[in-house]
């Protein structure tokens, strides 16, 4: 009986990891196809825009479009990250965090027409059942702190 339970658990784990690998491969292929055809909207569709303000959205879209010029993707893959990783940063006194829980890091290595290599790393995670690129949004506690400048010790 124990051997059967162990085998069943192993089979479930194998199926889950295969499904995740398939989802990652499809996501990478979609990104690669969109980049190769210079389809900015195709890449925008891979991003989780939930909670992103208009200015940040426009800035990110402009950045993505500018990346098409004179570059090709040399290598692209998703790397696993620790489950407890929750990246954030502070800019202009506000704390920014991802609008999804990251499960991996999309690593893209580009090569320019002149042979120069550059790379980009983007966090990816599941959102509404699909793998998406996470966007930075102002953290809720940062909004509360920004509204109350009188009592900075509460932040």
């Amino acid at each position: 009986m124990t051997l059967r339970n162990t085998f069943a658990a192993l089979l479930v784990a194998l199926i889950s990891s295969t499904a995740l690998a398939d989802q990652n491969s499809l996501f990478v292929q979609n990104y690669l196809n969109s980049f190769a055809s210079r389809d900015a909207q195709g890449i925008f569709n891979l991003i989780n825009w939930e909670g992103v303000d208009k200015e940040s959205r426009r800035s990110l879209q402009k950045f993505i479009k500018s990346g098409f010029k004179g570059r090709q993707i040399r290598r692209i893959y998703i790397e696993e990250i620790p489950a407890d990783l929750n990246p954030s940063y502070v800019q202009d006194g506000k704390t920014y965090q991802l609008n999804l829980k990251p499960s991996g890091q999309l690593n893209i290595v580009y090569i320019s027409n002149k042979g120069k290599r550059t790379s980009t790393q983007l966090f990816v995670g599941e959102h509404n059942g699909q793998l998406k690129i996470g966007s930075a949004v102002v953290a809720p506690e940062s909004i509360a702190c920004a509204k109350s400048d009188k009592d900075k010790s509460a932040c």
Side-chain angles (χ1 to χ4, degrees):
M1 191 74 150
T2 304
L3 183 58
R4 188 181 327 183
N5 291 343
T6 303
F7 180 70
L10 183 61
L11 186 60
V12 168
L14 182 61
I15 290 170
S16 296
S17 67
T18 302
L20 181 62
D22 288 345
Q23 184 182 30
N24 287 354
S25 295
L26 180 60
F27 182 86
V28 166
Q29 192 61 51
N30 287 338
Y31 191 99
L32 190 57
N33 291 344
S34 295
F35 189 89
S37 63
R38 305 307 196 234
D39 176 15
Q41 187 59 49
I43 293 175
F44 300 160
N45 293 340
L46 299 174
I47 299 172
N48 177 14
W49 295 107
E50 190 173 291
V52 178
D53 62 67
K54 261 186 176 178
E55 184 180 325
S56 297
R57 183 181 180 120
R58 221 173 304 150
S59 176
L60 182 56
Q61 288 174 333
K62 185 178 178 181
F63 173 76
I64 289 168
K65 287 178 182 178
S66 72
F68 290 147
K69 297 176 185 168
R71 298 193 312 174
Q72 299 297 321
I73 293 179
R74 178 76 168 184
R75 184 168 184 230
I76 181 170
Y77 61 98
I78 295 177
E79 182 176 30
E80 285 187 40
I81 59 171
D84 61 346
L85 183 69
N86 191 8
S88 64
Y89 63 93
V90 177
Q91 182 178 333
D92 298 329
K94 294 180 185 175
T95 301
Y96 290 83
Q97 65 185 22
L98 286 176
N99 59 357
L100 52 72
K101 181 168 175 25
S103 59
Q105 182 172 296
L106 179 67
N107 297 294
I108 310 167
V109 179
Y110 302 96
I111 189 159
S112 73
N113 293 341
K114 297 178 181 178
K116 181 180 177 189
R117 289 182 186 224
T118 56
S119 64
T120 299
Q121 292 79 34
L122 304 166
F123 289 105
V124 296
E126 199 166 307
H127 179 73
N128 294 334
Q130 293 184 325
L131 196 60
K132 294 283 189 174
I133 297 170
S135 298
V137 294
V138 178
E141 63 273 2
S142 182
I143 294 171
C145 290
K147 290 181 182 177
S148 169
D149 287 338
K150 293 177 185 175
D151 187 15
K152 290 191 179 202
S153 63
C155 297

